[in-house]
Amino acid sequence: MAAFPAPPTASASPAAEAWALVEQLVHDARGRMFAVARDLELSPPQIWALRHLEPGAPTAMGELASLLRCDSSNVTGIVDRLEARGLVERRPASHDRRVKHLVLTEDGVDLRTRLRCALAEGPNPFDVLDADDAATLRDILRKAAGFA
Amino acid sequence: MAAFPAPPTASASPAAEAWALVEQLVHDARGRMFAVARDLELSPPQIWALRHLEPGAPTAMGELASLLRCDSSNVTGIVDRLEARGLVERRPASHDRRVKHLVLTEDGVDLRTRLRCALAEGPNPFDVLDADDAATLRDILRKAAGFA
DNA sequence: TATTGTTATACTCTATAACTATA
DNA sequence: TATAGTTATAGAGTATAACAATA
């Protein structure tokens, strides 16, 4: 079932092996994200754009490019398609007329909520863990993510 | 620094929140994988193809398509480019002449090793954890990945 | 001069559908 | 008939370079 027959980096440090394991788990579980994407008619970059665009927090084009880790020129097309569907709006920033702020529309906020619920609700690879392990895992991951 | 200001699903089950956290961590850390990819002149799908193609384990085209979670027609092009670089070979399978087995060349094995080292050696988000947490995390992730 | 966002270009990835050669 | 892999096609993602507007 697993894509790899043995831990890829069992001889590395615990942190390095743990990281290799999460990369593998996330990669192997992409099927669920693709299913959600297909259901909502969103491409993977569009999904991440929606996840990053928080209601009430205008985001500049270049800022979104950094979050998506792609060149600014790509964001033009990605946002074009989201805007064509009425999910986001481009607004000129008042402090600097070169900057364009992205703001979720009402439809955009709705779809973002549906997206987050769909991603949070489905089965995930950690469901096999017992309650203690799951809670311990969550606590350690919160630390790693900076949510002490 | 973090892309999200708060745990995305703090009200969900521990397993669901933990899963959301790893997805976020892996997404935020893609920069390192992209840097490795660029260094070795490999695209992301090519990276995953190399990670999946184990030396001594011939893999059919369709099998690789399943592992990459994409349509078989894509694998043709991805493998074309790997083969043009002399990293893999297509060999007719003896038991079924429709099937083509992918086998890493010597250069392919070398590059795969360099790739795995580069990915395992660099800094990762779990470096901030103390030794106990890192070891606990690794052990729980091994369970989740099926390496009890 | 430097920066923000866009456009132009070329390449890769992606799914769908039609095709071939096997089975 | 069904399956493995390819080809054809169209749409989307990606980086680079050049550009306009603004700072």
Side-chain angles (χ1 to χ4, degrees), chain A residues 43 70-71 73-74 81 96-98:
Chain A
S43 67
C70 68
D71 192 84
S73 58
N74 303 323
R81 287 177 271 275
D96 185 336
R97 279 186 295 175
R98 293 173 301 181

mmCIF file of all heavy atoms in Angstrom, chain A residues 43 70-71 73-74 81 96-98, chain D residues 12-17 21-23:
data_model
loop_
_atom_site.group_PDB
_atom_site.id
_atom_site.type_symbol
_atom_site.label_atom_id
_atom_site.label_comp_id
_atom_site.label_asym_id
_atom_site.label_seq_id
_atom_site.Cartn_x
_atom_site.Cartn_y
_atom_site.Cartn_z
ATOM 1 N N SER A 43 -7.892 24.371 -9.366
ATOM 2 C CA SER A 43 -6.587 23.759 -9.582
ATOM 3 C C SER A 43 -5.795 23.837 -8.277
ATOM 4 O O SER A 43 -6.116 24.640 -7.396
ATOM 5 C CB SER A 43 -5.845 24.499 -10.686
ATOM 6 O OG SER A 43 -5.534 25.803 -10.240
ATOM 7 N N CYS A 70 6.048 30.938 -6.332
ATOM 8 C CA CYS A 70 6.185 30.949 -7.779
ATOM 9 C C CYS A 70 6.433 32.387 -8.204
ATOM 10 O O CYS A 70 6.345 33.306 -7.393
ATOM 11 C CB CYS A 70 4.943 30.396 -8.476
ATOM 12 S SG CYS A 70 3.472 31.425 -8.304
ATOM 13 N N ASP A 71 6.766 32.572 -9.468
ATOM 14 C CA ASP A 71 7.055 33.902 -9.959
ATOM 15 C C ASP A 71 5.776 34.753 -10.010
ATOM 16 O O ASP A 71 4.682 34.234 -10.223
ATOM 17 C CB ASP A 71 7.668 33.799 -11.356
ATOM 18 C CG ASP A 71 8.265 35.115 -11.800
ATOM 19 O OD1 ASP A 71 9.416 35.382 -11.438
ATOM 20 O OD2 ASP A 71 7.560 35.890 -12.480
ATOM 21 N N SER A 73 4.730 36.578 -12.229
ATOM 22 C CA SER A 73 4.040 36.542 -13.528
ATOM 23 C C SER A 73 2.996 35.433 -13.577
ATOM 24 O O SER A 73 2.007 35.543 -14.296
ATOM 25 C CB SER A 73 5.048 36.367 -14.658
ATOM 26 O OG SER A 73 5.800 35.192 -14.486
ATOM 27 N N ASN A 74 3.199 34.375 -12.803
ATOM 28 C CA ASN A 74 2.204 33.298 -12.772
ATOM 29 C C ASN A 74 0.943 33.735 -12.053
ATOM 30 O O ASN A 74 -0.159 33.326 -12.412
ATOM 31 C CB ASN A 74 2.736 32.066 -12.037
ATOM 32 C CG ASN A 74 4.015 31.574 -12.654
ATOM 33 O OD1 ASN A 74 4.166 31.610 -13.854
ATOM 34 N ND2 ASN A 74 4.917 31.140 -11.822
ATOM 35 N N ARG A 81 -8.055 33.897 -13.355
ATOM 36 C CA ARG A 81 -9.091 32.870 -13.423
ATOM 37 C C ARG A 81 -9.996 32.898 -12.188
ATOM 38 O O ARG A 81 -11.202 32.680 -12.286
ATOM 39 C CB ARG A 81 -8.443 31.487 -13.615
ATOM 40 C CG ARG A 81 -7.887 31.314 -15.022
ATOM 41 C CD ARG A 81 -7.166 29.999 -15.236
ATOM 42 N NE ARG A 81 -5.751 30.064 -14.903
ATOM 43 C CZ ARG A 81 -4.779 30.472 -15.722
ATOM 44 N NH1 ARG A 81 -5.075 30.877 -16.934
ATOM 45 N NH2 ARG A 81 -3.525 30.493 -15.344
ATOM 46 N N ASP A 96 0.119 52.955 -2.346
ATOM 47 C CA ASP A 96 1.085 52.787 -3.442
ATOM 48 C C ASP A 96 0.305 52.338 -4.674
ATOM 49 O O ASP A 96 -0.169 51.210 -4.723
ATOM 50 C CB ASP A 96 2.144 51.756 -3.043
ATOM 51 C CG ASP A 96 3.244 51.626 -4.092
ATOM 52 O OD1 ASP A 96 2.989 51.959 -5.276
ATOM 53 O OD2 ASP A 96 4.351 51.184 -3.736
ATOM 54 N N ARG A 97 0.232 53.216 -5.660
ATOM 55 C CA ARG A 97 -0.650 52.907 -6.789
ATOM 56 C C ARG A 97 -0.119 51.797 -7.695
ATOM 57 O O ARG A 97 -0.811 51.354 -8.595
ATOM 58 C CB ARG A 97 -0.914 54.183 -7.605
ATOM 59 C CG ARG A 97 -1.999 55.051 -6.980
ATOM 60 C CD ARG A 97 -2.352 56.221 -7.852
ATOM 61 N NE ARG A 97 -1.229 57.150 -7.982
ATOM 62 C CZ ARG A 97 -1.241 58.215 -8.775
ATOM 63 N NH1 ARG A 97 -2.326 58.500 -9.493
ATOM 64 N NH2 ARG A 97 -0.195 59.017 -8.843
ATOM 65 N N ARG A 98 1.122 51.348 -7.438
ATOM 66 C CA ARG A 98 1.592 50.195 -8.207
ATOM 67 C C ARG A 98 0.984 48.901 -7.683
ATOM 68 O O ARG A 98 0.797 47.933 -8.424
ATOM 69 C CB ARG A 98 3.121 50.086 -8.110
ATOM 70 C CG ARG A 98 3.878 51.196 -8.767
ATOM 71 C CD ARG A 98 5.344 51.074 -8.449
ATOM 72 N NE ARG A 98 5.590 51.123 -7.006
ATOM 73 C CZ ARG A 98 6.788 51.052 -6.453
ATOM 74 N NH1 ARG A 98 7.853 50.906 -7.219
ATOM 75 N NH2 ARG A 98 6.936 51.125 -5.157
ATOM 76 P P DA D 12 -7.972 26.866 -18.331
ATOM 77 O OP1 DA D 12 -9.141 26.785 -17.452
ATOM 78 O OP2 DA D 12 -7.735 28.071 -19.182
ATOM 79 O "O5'" DA D 12 -6.658 26.662 -17.462
ATOM 80 C "C5'" DA D 12 -6.642 25.638 -16.495
ATOM 81 C "C4'" DA D 12 -5.218 25.395 -16.042
ATOM 82 O "O4'" DA D 12 -4.435 25.006 -17.171
ATOM 83 C "C3'" DA D 12 -4.540 26.613 -15.438
ATOM 84 O "O3'" DA D 12 -4.312 26.373 -14.056
ATOM 85 C "C2'" DA D 12 -3.224 26.754 -16.207
ATOM 86 C "C1'" DA D 12 -3.116 25.428 -16.953
ATOM 87 N N9 DA D 12 -2.478 25.567 -18.255
ATOM 88 C C8 DA D 12 -2.943 26.245 -19.335
ATOM 89 N N7 DA D 12 -2.147 26.194 -20.373
ATOM 90 C C5 DA D 12 -1.085 25.431 -19.947
ATOM 91 C C6 DA D 12 0.099 25.008 -20.581
ATOM 92 N N6 DA D 12 0.410 25.327 -21.837
ATOM 93 N N1 DA D 12 0.950 24.250 -19.863
ATOM 94 C C2 DA D 12 0.635 23.943 -18.603
ATOM 95 N N3 DA D 12 -0.445 24.286 -17.889
ATOM 96 C C4 DA D 12 -1.271 25.028 -18.632
ATOM 97 P P DG D 13 -3.537 27.428 -13.197
ATOM 98 O OP1 DG D 13 -4.045 27.272 -11.835
ATOM 99 O OP2 DG D 13 -3.597 28.730 -13.894
ATOM 100 O "O5'" DG D 13 -2.028 26.920 -13.236
ATOM 101 C "C5'" DG D 13 -1.723 25.656 -12.687
ATOM 102 C "C4'" DG D 13 -0.242 25.373 -12.809
ATOM 103 O "O4'" DG D 13 0.102 25.330 -14.204
ATOM 104 C "C3'" DG D 13 0.659 26.435 -12.174
ATOM 105 O "O3'" DG D 13 1.616 25.774 -11.331
ATOM 106 C "C2'" DG D 13 1.344 27.118 -13.354
ATOM 107 C "C1'" DG D 13 1.272 26.059 -14.437
ATOM 108 N N9 DG D 13 1.158 26.609 -15.785
ATOM 109 C C8 DG D 13 0.096 27.294 -16.309
ATOM 110 N N7 DG D 13 0.270 27.644 -17.556
ATOM 111 C C5 DG D 13 1.533 27.160 -17.869
ATOM 112 C C6 DG D 13 2.272 27.236 -19.073
ATOM 113 O O6 DG D 13 1.941 27.774 -20.132
ATOM 114 N N1 DG D 13 3.509 26.615 -18.962
ATOM 115 C C2 DG D 13 3.968 25.982 -17.815
ATOM 116 N N2 DG D 13 5.180 25.446 -17.882
ATOM 117 N N3 DG D 13 3.285 25.911 -16.690
ATOM 118 C C4 DG D 13 2.090 26.512 -16.787
ATOM 119 P P DT D 14 2.584 26.605 -10.433
ATOM 120 O OP1 DT D 14 3.069 25.691 -9.390
ATOM 121 O OP2 DT D 14 1.889 27.851 -10.055
ATOM 122 O "O5'" DT D 14 3.783 26.986 -11.389
ATOM 123 C "C5'" DT D 14 4.887 26.096 -11.526
ATOM 124 C "C4'" DT D 14 5.886 26.649 -12.512
ATOM 125 O "O4'" DT D 14 5.269 26.797 -13.801
ATOM 126 C "C3'" DT D 14 6.374 28.060 -12.201
ATOM 127 O "O3'" DT D 14 7.440 28.019 -11.285
ATOM 128 C "C2'" DT D 14 6.833 28.542 -13.574
ATOM 129 C "C1'" DT D 14 6.115 27.633 -14.569
ATOM 130 N N1 DT D 14 5.276 28.350 -15.568
ATOM 131 C C2 DT D 14 5.771 28.531 -16.841
ATOM 132 O O2 DT D 14 6.866 28.142 -17.171
ATOM 133 N N3 DT D 14 4.945 29.194 -17.697
ATOM 134 C C4 DT D 14 3.683 29.695 -17.409
ATOM 135 O O4 DT D 14 3.028 30.277 -18.250
ATOM 136 C C5 DT D 14 3.236 29.477 -16.059
ATOM 137 C C7 DT D 14 1.879 29.986 -15.623
ATOM 138 C C6 DT D 14 4.038 28.819 -15.210
ATOM 139 P P DA D 15 8.237 29.342 -10.933
ATOM 140 O OP1 DA D 15 9.049 29.087 -9.741
ATOM 141 O OP2 DA D 15 7.251 30.439 -10.922
ATOM 142 O "O5'" DA D 15 9.212 29.567 -12.174
ATOM 143 C "C5'" DA D 15 10.224 28.623 -12.464
ATOM 144 C "C4'" DA D 15 11.090 29.130 -13.604
ATOM 145 O "O4'" DA D 15 10.259 29.345 -14.777
ATOM 146 C "C3'" DA D 15 11.781 30.463 -13.310
ATOM 147 O "O3'" DA D 15 13.122 30.419 -13.775
ATOM 148 C "C2'" DA D 15 10.945 31.486 -14.086
ATOM 149 C "C1'" DA D 15 10.372 30.677 -15.231
ATOM 150 N N9 DA D 15 9.025 31.136 -15.611
ATOM 151 C C8 DA D 15 7.943 31.290 -14.794
ATOM 152 N N7 DA D 15 6.854 31.708 -15.412
ATOM 153 C C5 DA D 15 7.257 31.832 -16.739
ATOM 154 C C6 DA D 15 6.570 32.238 -17.900
ATOM 155 N N6 DA D 15 5.293 32.599 -17.909
ATOM 156 N N1 DA D 15 7.260 32.245 -19.052
ATOM 157 C C2 DA D 15 8.542 31.881 -19.041
ATOM 158 N N3 DA D 15 9.296 31.484 -18.013
ATOM 159 C C4 DA D 15 8.580 31.481 -16.870
ATOM 160 P P DT D 16 14.072 31.699 -13.480
ATOM 161 O OP1 DT D 16 15.406 31.113 -13.264
ATOM 162 O OP2 DT D 16 13.459 32.583 -12.471
ATOM 163 O "O5'" DT D 16 14.091 32.491 -14.853
ATOM 164 C "C5'" DT D 16 14.446 31.793 -16.047
ATOM 165 C "C4'" DT D 16 14.327 32.726 -17.227
ATOM 166 O "O4'" DT D 16 12.933 32.907 -17.545
ATOM 167 C "C3'" DT D 16 14.909 34.129 -17.002
ATOM 168 O "O3'" DT D 16 15.941 34.355 -17.948
ATOM 169 C "C2'" DT D 16 13.725 35.076 -17.183
ATOM 170 C "C1'" DT D 16 12.725 34.239 -17.950
ATOM 171 N N1 DT D 16 11.298 34.528 -17.640
ATOM 172 C C2 DT D 16 10.435 34.812 -18.678
ATOM 173 O O2 DT D 16 10.782 34.843 -19.842
ATOM 174 N N3 DT D 16 9.141 35.055 -18.288
ATOM 175 C C4 DT D 16 8.644 35.045 -16.998
ATOM 176 O O4 DT D 16 7.466 35.275 -16.782
ATOM 177 C C5 DT D 16 9.597 34.740 -15.966
ATOM 178 C C7 DT D 16 9.157 34.698 -14.541
ATOM 179 C C6 DT D 16 10.869 34.498 -16.333
ATOM 180 P P DA D 17 16.793 35.726 -17.880
ATOM 181 O OP1 DA D 17 18.093 35.422 -18.513
ATOM 182 O OP2 DA D 17 16.743 36.282 -16.506
ATOM 183 O "O5'" DA D 17 15.974 36.705 -18.829
ATOM 184 C "C5'" DA D 17 15.646 36.274 -20.137
ATOM 185 C "C4'" DA D 17 14.764 37.306 -20.803
ATOM 186 O "O4'" DA D 17 13.421 37.212 -20.268
ATOM 187 C "C3'" DA D 17 15.216 38.757 -20.582
ATOM 188 O "O3'" DA D 17 15.285 39.420 -21.820
ATOM 189 C "C2'" DA D 17 14.141 39.342 -19.679
ATOM 190 C "C1'" DA D 17 12.927 38.509 -20.047
ATOM 191 N N9 DA D 17 11.924 38.427 -18.993
ATOM 192 C C8 DA D 17 12.127 38.124 -17.664
ATOM 193 N N7 DA D 17 11.025 38.121 -16.952
ATOM 194 C C5 DA D 17 10.033 38.432 -17.867
ATOM 195 C C6 DA D 17 8.637 38.584 -17.734
ATOM 196 N N6 DA D 17 7.985 38.435 -16.583
ATOM 197 N N1 DA D 17 7.928 38.900 -18.846
ATOM 198 C C2 DA D 17 8.595 39.050 -20.001
ATOM 199 N N3 DA D 17 9.897 38.937 -20.243
ATOM 200 C C4 DA D 17 10.563 38.618 -19.127
ATOM 201 P P DA D 21 2.061 53.467 -19.464
ATOM 202 O OP1 DA D 21 0.690 53.784 -19.896
ATOM 203 O OP2 DA D 21 3.219 54.303 -19.885
ATOM 204 O "O5'" DA D 21 2.071 53.409 -17.876
ATOM 205 C "C5'" DA D 21 1.124 52.586 -17.226
ATOM 206 C "C4'" DA D 21 1.383 52.608 -15.730
ATOM 207 O "O4'" DA D 21 2.660 52.006 -15.449
ATOM 208 C "C3'" DA D 21 1.416 54.020 -15.121
ATOM 209 O "O3'" DA D 21 0.531 54.042 -14.015
ATOM 210 C "C2'" DA D 21 2.876 54.205 -14.702
ATOM 211 C "C1'" DA D 21 3.334 52.766 -14.475
ATOM 212 N N9 DA D 21 4.751 52.543 -14.674
ATOM 213 C C8 DA D 21 5.516 52.926 -15.734
ATOM 214 N N7 DA D 21 6.773 52.557 -15.636
ATOM 215 C C5 DA D 21 6.843 51.890 -14.421
ATOM 216 C C6 DA D 21 7.907 51.275 -13.734
ATOM 217 N N6 DA D 21 9.148 51.223 -14.211
ATOM 218 N N1 DA D 21 7.625 50.699 -12.547
ATOM 219 C C2 DA D 21 6.368 50.767 -12.070
ATOM 220 N N3 DA D 21 5.289 51.318 -12.618
ATOM 221 C C4 DA D 21 5.599 51.870 -13.813
ATOM 222 P P DT D 22 0.311 55.430 -13.207
ATOM 223 O OP1 DT D 22 -1.045 55.410 -12.626
ATOM 224 O OP2 DT D 22 0.759 56.539 -14.085
ATOM 225 O "O5'" DT D 22 1.350 55.324 -12.009
ATOM 226 C "C5'" DT D 22 1.189 54.262 -11.082
ATOM 227 C "C4'" DT D 22 2.420 54.177 -10.214
ATOM 228 O "O4'" DT D 22 3.585 53.972 -11.027
ATOM 229 C "C3'" DT D 22 2.712 55.439 -9.393
ATOM 230 O "O3'" DT D 22 2.321 55.158 -8.053
ATOM 231 C "C2'" DT D 22 4.223 55.645 -9.547
ATOM 232 C "C1'" DT D 22 4.674 54.364 -10.235
ATOM 233 N N1 DT D 22 5.858 54.474 -11.110
ATOM 234 C C2 DT D 22 7.035 53.903 -10.701
ATOM 235 O O2 DT D 22 7.164 53.334 -9.632
ATOM 236 N N3 DT D 22 8.087 54.026 -11.580
ATOM 237 C C4 DT D 22 8.053 54.645 -12.827
ATOM 238 O O4 DT D 22 9.054 54.696 -13.526
ATOM 239 C C5 DT D 22 6.792 55.222 -13.187
ATOM 240 C C7 DT D 22 6.643 55.922 -14.518
ATOM 241 C C6 DT D 22 5.767 55.114 -12.318
ATOM 242 P P DA D 23 2.528 56.266 -6.937
ATOM 243 O OP1 DA D 23 1.621 55.946 -5.834
ATOM 244 O OP2 DA D 23 2.488 57.577 -7.589
ATOM 245 O "O5'" DA D 23 4.015 56.005 -6.423
ATOM 246 C "C5'" DA D 23 4.301 54.766 -5.774
ATOM 247 C "C4'" DA D 23 5.788 54.679 -5.491
ATOM 248 O "O4'" DA D 23 6.483 54.706 -6.740
ATOM 249 C "C3'" DA D 23 6.316 55.837 -4.673
ATOM 250 O "O3'" DA D 23 6.470 55.400 -3.330
ATOM 251 C "C2'" DA D 23 7.676 56.168 -5.315
ATOM 252 C "C1'" DA D 23 7.777 55.211 -6.485
ATOM 253 N N9 DA D 23 8.205 55.824 -7.738
ATOM 254 C C8 DA D 23 7.475 56.573 -8.607
ATOM 255 N N7 DA D 23 8.128 56.948 -9.682
ATOM 256 C C5 DA D 23 9.384 56.394 -9.511
ATOM 257 C C6 DA D 23 10.550 56.420 -10.288
ATOM 258 N N6 DA D 23 10.622 57.058 -11.453
ATOM 259 N N1 DA D 23 11.630 55.743 -9.814
ATOM 260 C C2 DA D 23 11.543 55.111 -8.646
ATOM 261 N N3 DA D 23 10.498 55.028 -7.824
ATOM 262 C C4 DA D 23 9.452 55.671 -8.320
#
